[in-house]
Amino acid sequence: MNDAVYQRRTVRKVEAVVHQPDPTMPYGTACGLWKFGYEPAPQVFNRGDGKVEKVTVPCPLCEAALACREIEQKVRSERRESI
């Protein structure tokens, strides 16, 4: 494990976007996309944050898709219970 920390505020380019897996969607990702149409914003690391070798971020579209599915499932179950 790398115990190095940043000594000052640092901005680094995102090297990879991590998708949430979903075998029912195209490309096997929850958002159904393989690539983004835009470059992700650089990540800011403050003094004392641990250094990472590769900067990765979770896919915001996958997170939104999973949140929408969760809400949809909740609404469906409430409808079944009310019938």
Side-chain angles (χ1 to χ4, degrees), residues 1 6 18 25 58 60:
M1 182 168 171
Y6 288 104
V18 180
M25 294 295 292

Side-chain angles (χ1 to χ4, degrees), residues 20-56:
Q20 295 292 326
D22 184 354
T24 64
M25 294 295 292
Y27 301 109
T29 63
C31 65
L33 300 174
W34 182 251
K35 287 181 144 183
F36 285 109
Y38 63 92
E39 181 82 17
Q43 295 296 297
V44 176
F45 296 93
N46 292 314
R47 181 177 182 201
D49 288 347
K51 288 188 178 181
V52 293
E53 291 182 28
K54 185 174 184 181
V55 179
T56 60

Side-chain angles (χ1 to χ4, degrees), residues 37-80:
Y38 63 92
E39 181 82 17
Q43 295 296 297
V44 176
F45 296 93
N46 292 314
R47 181 177 182 201
D49 288 347
K51 288 188 178 181
V52 293
E53 291 182 28
K54 185 174 184 181
V55 179
T56 60
V57 293
C59 172
L61 300 176
C62 285
E63 291 178 349
L66 293 174
C68 289
R69 285 188 204 155
E70 185 179 322
I71 292 168
E72 182 181 12
Q73 288 175 352
K74 183 178 178 182
V75 169
R76 282 184 183 176
S77 67
E78 288 175 358
R79 285 184 183 169
R80 287 185 203 140

